[in-house]
Amino acid sequence: MDQADVIILGGGLVGCSLSLALAAHGISTIVVDPADPAVTLAANFDGRASAIASASHRMLDAIGVGARLAGKGCAIESIRVSDGLAPGALDFVPDASDGALGTMYENRLLRTTLHQAAMAADLVDLRMRTRATSVKRDGAGVRMTLDSGAEIAAPLMIAAEGRNSPTRTAAGITIAHWQYHHNAIITAFDHARPHQNCAFEIFYPAGPFAILPLLPAEGRNRSALVWTVSEGDAPGMLKLSDRGFLAEAERQMGGFLGPLSNLAPRSTYPLGFHHAARITAERLALVGDAAHGIHPIAGQGLNLGFRDVATLTEVLVDGKRFGLDLGDPALLARYERWRGLDTLMVAMATDTLNRLFGVPGKTASAVRRFGLSAVQAIPPLKARFMAEARGESGDLPKLLQGETV
């Protein structure tokens, strides 16, 4: 039977990051994931990109991943928020000494970089195209049989399987959840005018229209798009010709980036909210989308997962130093307390923001514009919003401060 300090189910962005964070502190992991790397690590750009908040990036730097990403992401130096194309936009522009608000990376680059780092890490045993056929959790530890026939064991199991986590369901952990009856259309395109490293969030009644800066591609200005549409409109948006889609996108933007071209592949997914009633059970912890799923309105979904990683790493490293069993209920309770309130507050804030901007009518629009102008005029409030965008609010784990535990 193969032994490790921790078994991680799920080798995506959050699961791989957790394995590397633990390895950087001398904790061994076996990562089990049914996905085929030939598919998930395909070289072609699929239009998906993620904003990595500056605090999350400090964690990636601290665990040795940041150096592998150097020069491959586009810094977000400002954010502009507007209610449709009406005047009165809110601009978040940090002081030069504060650095960027975040960095945009293509998801394929993040996946490949983390996968390669995990493959190279001595304390990470990454087992792809593999799934568990039986799992037993009890006072003695976690024992698991894999479809390869191998048997593995550890004091603790961590579920990083995504929003439909079978481990969460098997553990009897309930979730609060609802659908927004909207879909996100994900893609990217070239544009004539430079984006000036600015992320644009334009709110319409159907949902946000977010334009996110990417690095130039062969000298061409490039941005990613997350376009929220009513669920009934999503199939039609995917069927539009590239020319028709770009024309509609340009209209939604008011043409401020000039003509659009070279559309990347389009994909869509339904938008919903879910939040686990608890994120631990006997010898089990949930991280990432297995624990919580939020509206992409503020681009914080992956960053919430990275906050889970940093927090759980600190809890487990402290436990190991004190000689505790890594599945000790006291350690898991500390993780639950530390993450529970933060994830709920962020989840509810994004839900409220989405509902607020979704109210139609001129009166609601006037109220929103007044709110934006008020934030623009009150420096402390504006600074709080920028701290949230950077992922620097609340009781930060050491990794999010750029320090090892």
Side-chain angles (χ1 to χ4, degrees), residues 185 189 199-202 207-212 224-228 296-297:
I185 306 289
F189 46 66
F200 302 90
E201 190 104 23
I202 305 170
F209 183 94
I211 307 145
L212 306 162
L225 175 67
V226 181
W227 186 353
T228 303
I297 195 167

Side-chain angles (χ1 to χ4, degrees), residues 390-404:
R390 286 196 180 95
E392 295 173 349
S393 60
D395 183 9
L396 286 186
K398 289 186 175 66
L399 279 175
L400 294 180
Q401 300 175 51
E403 304 170 12
T404 50

